Amino acid sequence: MDTTDRTTNRPADRAFASLVAEGAAVPTAGWDFSWFEGRATEQRPSWGYARSAAERLARATAALDIQTGGGEVLDFALGRIPAGHLPTLLAATEGWPPNLARATGLLAPRGVVVVAAGEDDPLPFADGSFDLVLSRHPVQPHWDEIARVLRPGGTYFAQHVGPSSAYELVEHFLGPRTADSRGVRDPERERAGAEAAGLEVVGLTAERLRMEFHDIAAVVHFLRKVIWMVPGFTVAAYEPQLRALHARIEADGPFVAHSTRHLFDIRKPEPGREERDPGGGAQGR
């Protein structure tokens, strides 16, 4: 008898405990998601953030990447820029020690100064230091600090996690969320915050994207890596929900959720002048 599950392409009787242990053992440092290949998928936004960031970097003179994680996205972007077109000043911030060490090792050879700064800390740079500030999936944008370190005419170009991202998965573990909880990271709220800090929103695009989890190991690793989804997640604390979800995946195939992402192109106005920022273009496509 063929006992292969055609959805996961692994033996159908593979033990729950073995899968959970596998997901719990994978290191979580950095933003490299290659381990998920064949086990989970997430549709990517149409705008291609890292490629667009590379185009912005090639036209900037001083650039900062906020909450760089392990530095993988910035490293990819810098690797696409021809020699001689890099910004003169390159800096990045990161607050989690394992990611800080990883980012330093990866980005220092590219001339990036990686500075320790927590997500709630003031940015450790002088006013008007940068003409380009980047960020991919910041926990929370601190608009006053972003505005402070940008030069007049400079750009904040970033991909943010949107509201109710992967909430099908979140609600499996935590139950139904309130309307206020679902509204966290609403792009229009963030637009209002940016404008209150004196910034001009040149472009804002949002998309809802399909995610699939093919086994419970992928779920465990995802929740350990993206820690704000289910705060305080541990296998022991959520074993009943994990068992139920494992059974569901085994019976019905991949668990489907949806992420939300939005792309900001924001400019710090330059008093008395109307010229565009060094990045150029509202959507960076």
Side-chain angles (χ1 to χ4, degrees), residues 67-92:
Q67 297 179 34
T68 195
E72 297 90 349
V73 176
L74 181 58
D75 179 67
F76 174 87
L78 293 173
R80 296 178 64 88
I81 300 174
H85 291 269
L86 291 172
T88 303
L89 172 62
L90 279 166

Side-chain angles (χ1 to χ4, degrees), residues 75-159:
D75 179 67
F76 174 87
L78 293 173
R80 296 178 64 88
I81 300 174
H85 291 269
L86 291 172
T88 303
L89 172 62
L90 279 166
T93 66
E94 177 54 37
W96 192 43
N99 274 351
L100 181 64
R102 185 183 183 96
T104 300
L106 187 62
L107 297 175
R110 293 197 182 276
V112 181
V113 177
V114 182
V115 180
E119 62 192 51
D120 294 323
D121 295 340
L123 294 172
F125 305 102
D127 296 0
S129 294
F130 303 99
D131 58 343
L132 177 64
V133 174
L134 301 169
S135 194
R136 182 180 180 272
H137 301 178
V139 175
Q140 179 179 337
H142 295 283
W143 297 116
D144 288 341
E145 280 296 285
I146 292 167
R148 182 183 64 78
V149 301
L150 273 174
R151 296 171 183 168
T155 297
Y156 175 73
F157 185 71
Q159 179 176 296

